[in-house]
Amino acid sequence: MSTNLSQKTSIPRHIAIIMDGNGRWAKNRLLPRYAGHQAGLKTVRMVVEQCVKHGVEVLTLFAFSSENWSRPPTEVSQIMDLFFHALRGELKRLQKNNVRLRIIGERNAFSPALVQRIEEVEQTTEANRNLLLQIAANYGGRWDVIQAMRRLAQQVKNAELEPNAINEAIISKALSFPDCPDPDLLIRTGGEQRVSNFLLWQLAYTELYFSEQLWPDFNIAEFEKVLTIFANRQRRFGKTPDQITLKTHNA
Ligand code: FPP
């Protein structure tokens, strides 16, 4: 009997999520947008627990983009406050679930107190191994490529790197998370179907799933539905369907 690749790769090693729809969720309930972000934090907890349960290795959440600074100043400072308090409030749960936290993005725009708290939580959870939770904050895919290119250009200037030696692996290592696999699955909630300057380089072969649910409504049933859809997709990485079926069949 012929099998398909999905049986071998049924659980994504790395899931990336664009958490969209907090504002609309709040508006639908005549609540301030901030209430939507607070409700979104509960969904973050649920997804982290589900990833631990299903054995996902890396979860990367897009929490605040480089472009989000252009939101009304009150909303920006409320989101920053939420991060600040969540970092301390969630620490116990991260430890209990053996989850390592890493923030990716440009930190120098954050207040010194927020940077200090980020560093504390990263250090405290450094040895945790159940899941690597990466929060993209003040992150943009183009920013990531620019900072990587600058780093490599400096190495070329210092005669530490030959221009001809630059390849995919070297570029991947210069980006924000050199030590984990590219996402296998990208989920975007909130009904929009775009990548919005998230992990541009790393999404090259990622399976995409767009959920109509607003982020605070995203629940276990929808998460498990996405996992099932992923498990039934055939990832070909540029090969033909026959090559994939044969390879799996003969393995
Ligand atoms: C997008 O919804 C959401 C954000 C910009 C903020 C995300 C923040 C959280 C989920 C809160 C907690 C997260 C962590 C990791 C502490 P939107 O405001 O763009 O919604 P809209 O499209 O309906 O306006």
Side-chain angles (χ1 to χ4, degrees), residues 48-250:
V48 168
E49 278 166 15
Q50 287 301 306
C51 285
V52 169
K53 178 182 154 193
H54 288 279
V56 173
E57 292 169 40
V58 188
L59 172 66
T60 303
L61 303 176
F62 204 9
F64 194 84
S65 73
S66 316
E67 293 76 30
N68 285 151
W69 293 107
S70 56
R71 291 189 174 207
T74 322
E75 183 175 347
V76 171
S77 77
Q78 285 170 336
I79 293 176
M80 291 300 142
D81 264 16
L82 186 62
F83 289 157
F84 188 75
H85 290 105
L87 280 165
R88 180 154 295 168
E90 299 303 310
L91 183 57
K92 229 174 161 178
R93 218 182 299 263
L94 294 174
Q95 293 293 75
K96 184 176 145 245
N97 288 314
N98 197 17
V99 174
R100 177 180 178 192
L101 183 84
R102 170 191 283 164
I103 305 294
I104 58 169
E106 202 172 7
R107 292 181 189 197
N108 54 20
F110 298 145
S111 70
L114 180 55
V115 174
Q116 194 189 344
R117 193 162 282 187
I118 288 171
E119 286 169 358
E120 278 166 18
V121 179
E122 285 181 333
Q123 279 162 21
T124 311
T125 62
E126 201 170 2
N128 293 349
R129 287 294 174 265
N130 263 355
L131 173 75
L132 170 62
L133 170 62
Q134 303 191 116
I135 306 287
N138 195 21
Y139 176 89
R142 288 184 176 178
W143 164 82
D144 204 0
V145 171
I146 291 168
Q147 66 81 24
M149 292 306 115
R150 285 187 180 148
R151 205 180 297 181
L152 296 181
Q154 192 62 49
Q155 290 176 17
V156 170
K157 194 175 165 201
N158 298 346
E160 295 159 3
L161 179 67
E162 276 291 319
N164 282 339
I166 295 174
N167 57 22
E168 287 194 17
I170 285 182
I171 294 177
S172 293
K173 281 203 163 18
L175 291 164
S176 280
F177 45 90
D179 51 353
C180 46
D182 288 342
D184 302 293
L185 172 65
L186 171 78
I187 302 169
R188 180 178 185 140
T189 61
E192 312 282 358
Q193 303 198 355
R194 50 177 173 260
V195 170
S196 295
N197 197 18
F198 198 22
L199 310 163
L200 298 179
W201 172 272
Q202 299 91 334
L203 292 179
Y205 288 102
T206 302
E207 295 294 322
L208 310 179
Y209 180 84
F210 300 101
S211 168
E212 288 301 316
Q213 289 188 343
L214 304 175
W215 178 246
D217 291 328
F218 188 75
N219 53 26
I220 296 179
E222 179 77 350
F223 182 74
E224 291 190 332
K225 185 178 110 186
V226 187
L227 289 186
T228 306
I229 290 171
F230 175 83
N232 286 301
R233 287 205 189 159
Q234 189 187 54
R235 303 187 75 200
R236 296 205 294 270
F237 302 97
K239 295 183 175 160
T240 68
D242 284 352
Q243 283 176 300
I244 299 296
T245 330
L246 263 175
K247 184 171 170 264
T248 314
H249 189 56
N250 294 336

Side-chain angles (χ1 to χ4, degrees), residues 19-24 33 37 41 63 68 71 82-83 135:
M19 310 180 287
D20 199 12
N22 293 349
R24 278 165 284 163
R33 292 178 61 83
H37 300 315
L41 181 57
N68 285 151
R71 291 189 174 207
L82 186 62
F83 289 157
I135 306 287

